[in-house]
Amino acid sequence: MKMSKKSITILVLFIFLSCIFLAISGGYTVIKSVYKLRYESSVKYWAEEYSLDPYLVCSVIWTESKFDKEAESPVGAIGLMQIMPETGEWIADKLDLEDYHTEMLYEEDVNIRFGCWYLRFLLDRFEVTETACAAYNAGQNKVSDWLDLKTYSSDGKTLDVIPYEETAEYVERIKKAYEIYHFFYTI
């Protein structure tokens, strides 16, 4: 059976487009396997409760723990959003939770609630998302000190330079994760 030039062209185009589709869909699967989305109902609920972008919340969770609710940092931060025990006690006090105990930070709903409350607190205090994220990592007092120095901030609100390499990389990872979550998921 002899094929015409038109048929061969159509067949080659079909194979080419099929290869592109498989490459894209395979890449999509790989990206979603790295940037997982778990605990979506808690993320949506607490993000809405504290007027946060749920994609930002997912980005913080991914950057902090890769959605591992059992995560513990070397310095003692706990759970999905890596809440320090002292910070957890402070947040519980602010939320008037009388029967709070540190082990509750391993519960995804409690951890996401506390992390969202704290992120809202930092956004209200610092106004700029990247600055609030830097404070989530380095601490609010340290970021306040940086904002007071012209070396790091020209306007007292935005960090032009983040002097801690770990914190600078942390903010960049959040920004990258945000773009990925925003592109690949509907929350």
Side-chain angles (χ1 to χ4, degrees):
M1 175 186 213
K2 191 172 182 182
M3 293 179 69
S4 70
K5 284 185 179 182
K6 184 178 180 182
S7 296
I8 291 173
T9 303
I10 290 172
L11 179 61
V12 168
L13 183 61
F14 174 76
I15 291 170
F16 176 73
L17 292 174
S18 296
C19 288
I20 289 174
F21 173 76
L22 289 173
I24 291 171
S25 64
Y28 177 82
T29 302
V30 169
I31 288 171
K32 285 186 100 172
S33 72
V34 172
Y35 290 86
K36 296 174 179 153
L37 176 59
R38 296 185 177 140
Y39 317 113
E40 188 174 355
S41 62
S42 285
V43 168
K44 285 171 72 170
Y45 180 84
W46 293 113
E48 185 176 320
E49 181 72 18
Y50 293 110
S51 302
L52 295 169
D53 181 338
Y55 298 104
L56 176 61
V57 174
C58 287
S59 301
V60 171
I61 294 172
W62 185 86
T63 302
E64 289 287 350
S65 71
K66 307 281 189 287
F67 280 87
D68 177 5
K69 71 178 187 171
E70 301 295 324
E72 292 181 27
S73 78
V75 295
I78 296 171
L80 293 165
M81 296 187 79
Q82 291 291 278
I83 309 292
M84 291 295 290
E86 305 79 37
T87 305
E89 290 174 24
W90 178 70
I91 293 169
D93 185 57
K94 295 289 184 187
L95 295 172
D96 292 325
L97 298 178
E98 294 177 15
D99 48 345
Y100 168 78
H101 54 88
T102 301
E103 291 298 309
M104 292 171 72
L105 291 175
Y106 290 104
E107 298 171 21
E108 63 267 11
D109 198 59
V110 171
N111 196 284
I112 293 170
R113 178 185 184 188
F114 281 29
C116 286
W117 183 92
Y118 189 52
L119 191 55
R120 168 71 343 197
F121 171 83
L122 294 172
L123 284 165
D124 289 345
R125 179 172 179 186
F126 294 108
E127 299 176 16
V128 177
T129 301
E130 289 84 359
T131 306
C133 289
Y136 198 99
N137 178 261
Q140 57 182 312
N141 293 335
K142 183 57 69 182
V143 169
S144 290
D145 292 344
W146 295 342
L147 290 172
D148 289 339
L149 299 172
K150 293 288 182 198
T151 313
Y152 303 133
S153 176
S154 56
D155 63 5
K157 290 185 177 190
T158 306
L159 288 169
D160 304 319
V161 175
I162 299 174
Y164 287 1
E165 184 178 338
E166 174 190 330
T167 301
E169 290 173 0
Y170 174 86
V171 171
E172 287 305 311
R173 284 194 310 272
I174 285 179
K175 288 162 61 174
K176 178 183 174 188
Y178 180 88
E179 293 301 322
I180 290 169
Y181 278 102
H182 199 267
F183 184 80
F184 285 98
Y185 291 98
T186 302
I187 301 175

